[in-house]
Amino acid sequence: PSCRRYVAGGRCKSTARLEGKVVIITGANTGIGKATARDLAQRGKVIIACRDIAKGEAAASEIRAETGNQQVTVKKLDLADTKSIREFAEKFLAEEKELHVLINNAGVMLCPYSKTADGFEMHLGVNHLGHFLLTFLLLECLKQSAPARIVNVSSLAHHGGRIRFHDLHGEKCYNRGLAYCHSKLANVLFTRELARRLQGKFQRQVGFTANALHPGSVYSELVRHSFVMTWLWKIFSFFLKTPCEGAQTSIYCAVAEELDSVTGQYFSDCQPAYVSPRGRDDETAKKLWSVSCELLGIQWD
């Protein structure tokens, strides 16, 4: 029915192949990430980076069977622990020569208040800082493999977010819904500042891009921490995208030929979408960048 078609939203029509190319997708053992991995495995080599190796292996063997592509592998990556992120990057760089697409897809949503191994508030730590560090560690490899793309899965929820520098880790005041929104705004700002830094001669010559996206409201495990949301999701599942429909914009940002030199943008339903004024604030983006570097103990100029 047409209502269902409307809910499904935009589809990625690109048939671009990724032969000889390497893609990393974080959190690809379930939901949108798994659907993204399934599609990209029909085009090239995919590495599923996730915390739960058993779930990752189950997803990978299913994808290998469906696509006939044996080049779908699983590597352990816990975004709530910088030690794990560094180990993942070190192993990857030792084993692979190139990386063409990095999809920062993994995320947590509506967690009760908790902290990562490094003492960061969980939403900010996993959704933003974890991916910030991962991108930093893999950047040289992406540069040398260019043309390359970085795809950050954000959300429409970024409209409700603000970067509260005075209380980044929610110690003074915590609301799990807002914490999610703040982290998704951080994704948009990170993408914007990263694209700005990648531009200049290098980016224009070889096409090294960074874009963010909203996948849509998807029926997935992301709401598992909230009984009410889980219940609502079940009732309204007809009006939610399937993981496959939700993966379309991630796939589009990863492969669409028309995006070869498009960078620093935000997409929804495979087309450019409106970014909140806070998401376009270059001063906040720059400040978030330097605070993130400080928290992670890295120098990224």
Side-chain angles (χ1 to χ4, degrees):
S2 57
C3 165
R4 189 72 204 104
R5 267 205 307 280
Y6 174 75
V7 169
R11 286 199 79 79
C12 174
K13 297 183 178 74
S14 168
T15 54
R17 307 289 305 159
L18 296 171
E19 265 112 8
K21 300 204 165 177
V22 182
V23 180
I24 289 176
I25 310 174
T26 66
N29 55 328
T30 177
I32 305 168
K34 183 177 169 187
T36 306
R38 183 184 291 120
D39 178 286
L40 297 183
Q42 291 166 351
R43 308 171 191 250
K45 178 172 181 170
V46 174
I47 293 169
I48 292 174
C50 62
R51 194 181 51 198
D52 188 327
I53 291 287
K55 276 190 187 167
E57 284 298 352
S61 65
E62 196 182 301
I63 292 168
R64 284 193 291 264
E66 278 176 34
T67 61
N69 179 3
Q70 294 311 302
Q71 290 191 300
V72 181
T73 53
V74 181
K75 298 266 184 285
K76 184 170 175 65
L77 170 68
D78 182 357
L79 287 156
D81 184 352
T82 58
K83 192 163 154 282
S84 169
I85 299 168
R86 288 179 181 281
E87 279 167 10
F88 169 86
E90 212 171 293
K91 270 200 186 123
F92 172 82
L93 296 171
E95 290 166 14
E96 299 287 343
K97 300 285 167 280
E98 295 185 309
L99 174 59
H100 304 89
V101 183
L102 170 61
I103 303 180
N104 290 319
N105 162 84
V108 294
M109 181 180 180
L110 304 173
C111 314
Y113 189 75
S114 54
K115 286 188 168 176
T116 68
D118 303 84
F120 309 140
E121 186 275 315
M122 193 59 75
H123 292 92
L124 187 80
V126 171
N127 299 355
H128 168 60
L129 292 168
H131 283 127
F132 187 93
L133 178 61
L134 180 67
T135 306
F136 167 74
L137 295 170
L138 298 175
L139 196 75
E140 254 339 282
C141 185
L142 281 156
K143 259 185 191 167
Q144 284 160 13
S145 315
R149 298 185 185 190
I150 295 166
V151 179
N152 294 326
V153 179
S154 177
S155 165
L156 186 67
H158 85 269
H159 286 275
R162 56 171 63 205
I163 306 299
R164 303 168 64 250
F165 290 109
H166 63 286
D167 187 23
L168 265 187
H169 303 295
E171 286 157 330
K172 300 186 181 119
C173 161
Y174 181 75
N175 172 301
R176 56 192 185 166
L178 286 177
Y180 177 70
C181 296
H182 303 333
S183 72
K184 293 288 118 181
L185 173 60
N187 294 154
V188 172
L189 291 167
F190 167 45
T191 306
R192 190 177 179 90
E193 180 63 8
L194 177 60
R196 190 186 70 77
R197 286 162 175 260
L198 294 180
Q199 269 174 322
K201 283 206 296 279
F202 177 79
Q203 192 268 337
R204 275 200 294 278
Q205 280 163 348
V206 295
F208 186 9
T209 64
N211 290 298
L213 67 106
H214 166 56
S217 298
V218 179
Y219 192 66
S220 76
E221 288 178 15
L222 198 55
V223 293
R224 65 182 175 272
H225 290 293
S226 165
F227 172 75
V228 174
M229 286 291 276
T230 304
W231 188 70
L232 287 171
W233 245 224
K234 280 202 171 73
I235 295 173
F236 294 108
S237 61
F238 180 79
F239 299 102
L240 296 170
K241 291 186 179 190
T242 62
C244 177
E245 290 160 356
Q248 293 304 309
T249 308
S250 295
I251 298 162
Y252 174 74
C253 289
V255 302
E257 297 89 341
E258 64 266 34
L259 299 186
D260 276 346
S261 56
V262 175
T263 191
Q265 301 301 306
Y266 170 75
F267 295 86
S268 176
D269 280 325
C270 301
Q271 54 191 12
Y274 179 73
V275 177
S276 76
R278 287 200 187 103
R280 288 176 305 209
D281 185 332
D282 289 330
E283 284 320 297
T284 307
K286 288 188 179 93
K287 186 173 178 188
L288 178 65
W289 186 282
S290 64
V291 169
S292 302
C293 287
E294 227 168 278
L295 286 168
L296 292 162
I298 58 176
Q299 279 201 300
W300 187 353
D301 304 318

